[in-house]
Amino acid sequence: MSLQNKVAIVTGGNSGIGQAIVLDLARQGAAGIVIDYVVHPEATVELEKEIVKLGGRAIGVDADVSKIEDLQKLVDAAVKNFGRLDIMVNNAGIETRTSVLDTTEDQYDKVLNINLKSAFFGTQVAARQMIKQGGGGRIINITSVHEDWPMPGNTAYCLSKGGMRMLTRTAGVELAPYNILVVGVGPGAVETPINLSTMHDPAKLQKLNSAIPLGRMARPEEIASVVAFLAGDGASYLTATSIFVDGGLMQSSVGL
Ligand code: BGC
């Protein structure tokens, strides 16, 4: 139970990697979890119930992370319901799978706002609260192998993840004097809704699996366990960098 007395916010927390993170933080004994969501309130209610079964406490908050006032709403919910904020997981993300030639202004704005603006201001509002209460904190940005590795045909997404890489490094340095650690977690291909089209196309899936040295996509739990580690005491000297959880994908010489 390494996260006893810790209070967390997970953006995009009711599906995919976010949902797995919420559950793992609860299993590690987190005292309270704010689950941010925008769609599927029923999934959030189910998740809240599962957390209660695990002996934890959670509250779902309908908040659009591309808006600063909604991010502040998440922090306020953590403080009001659980008294403090120790762990901010900037996880919410989308992709359009569009190239530099065909991405529209609307697609660009959506991807950049939901992925990068949310992480920037999520870091800001969380860090302000952590500084106010004292005692440090953890900010964990869920990026991607594509924070570093081009994915042709997914340009705005790569841009957003590359921005999160520099956010992690720069905010990590700025916030270190407060003992607020900022770390990026870069998953490879994970069995989540974002990858449904690949998972349902046998030819695409086989091509993807053969490019991954471990030979398969990750389960969301395999990303969540790394996030839980980073939120705990064992990761007290890790900041301003990213950890890739990709089954070796980035080092593979087999192209996607
Ligand atoms: C993207 C997926 C992609 C995976 C591996 C993820 O960040 O969201 O679309 O399959 O990276 O390239």
Side-chain angles (χ1 to χ4, degrees):
M1 301 288 255
S2 56
L3 298 181
Q4 243 159 6
N5 304 323
K6 303 286 186 206
V7 174
I9 295 171
V10 182
T11 68
N14 74 347
S15 79
I17 295 173
Q19 180 187 42
I21 293 170
V22 165
L23 286 168
D24 209 327
L25 295 180
R27 274 190 215 102
Q28 303 307 320
I33 304 171
V34 176
I35 307 167
D36 155 70
Y37 71 98
V38 275
V39 286
H40 303 307
E42 67 296 340
T44 313
V45 172
E46 280 311 306
L47 194 52
E48 284 173 29
K49 283 187 199 154
E50 272 191 66
I51 289 163
V52 171
K53 272 193 221 149
L54 290 168
R57 293 199 299 157
I59 176 171
V61 177
D62 181 351
D64 172 356
V65 293
S66 63
K67 298 195 176 107
I68 301 175
E69 62 269 28
D70 278 29
L71 288 163
Q72 187 60 51
K73 198 163 101 180
L74 296 172
V75 173
D76 293 346
V79 174
K80 182 168 169 246
N81 290 278
F82 309 120
R84 52 188 293 110
L85 175 65
D86 303 285
I87 303 157
M88 177 71 175
V89 185
N90 292 311
N91 164 74
I94 60 164
E95 64 183 28
T96 52
R97 297 261 179 150
T98 50
S99 72
V100 71
L101 291 179
D102 58 26
T103 301
T104 65
E105 185 178 3
D106 183 54
Q107 287 172 325
Y108 177 95
D109 285 344
K110 266 201 189 117
V111 172
L112 270 291
N113 286 344
I114 293 176
N115 297 4
L116 181 58
K117 183 184 172 193
S118 71
F120 182 92
F121 287 103
T123 297
Q124 181 184 80
V125 293
R128 283 179 179 165
Q129 173 58 32
M130 288 165 183
I131 291 167
K132 193 163 128 188
Q133 72 199 15
R138 303 289 164 92
I139 295 173
I140 300 167
N141 294 321
I142 309 303
T143 68
S144 163
V145 287
H146 301 298
E147 69 165 57
D148 193 44
W149 191 38
M151 183 176 183
N154 211 2
T155 317
Y157 181 78
C158 291
L159 220 72
S160 70
K161 297 298 179 178
M164 287 175 81
R165 172 188 179 84
M166 286 312 289
L167 168 67
T168 300
R169 292 173 169 199
T170 314
V173 172
E174 282 186 7
L175 298 173
Y178 303 98
N179 201 28
I180 297 172
L181 312 186
V182 188
V183 184
V185 173
V190 188
E191 292 169 353
T192 64
I194 219 171
N195 279 311
L196 275 186
S197 66
T198 307
M199 284 154 69
H200 289 154
D201 180 332
K204 267 196 204 163
L205 183 61
Q206 208 216 334
K207 191 170 173 231
L208 175 61
N209 284 343
S210 61
I212 303 170
L214 285 183
R216 62 173 178 85
M217 296 174 79
R219 295 183 303 278
E221 298 74 34
E222 294 177 297
I223 311 302
S225 56
V226 175
V227 174
F229 164 72
L230 292 172
D233 291 343
S236 53
Y237 201 63
L238 238 162
T239 195
T241 192
S242 296
I243 296 195
F244 294 102
V245 192
D246 67 348
L249 179 60
M250 283 176 89
Q251 316 308 324
S252 164
S253 49
V254 182
L256 274 179

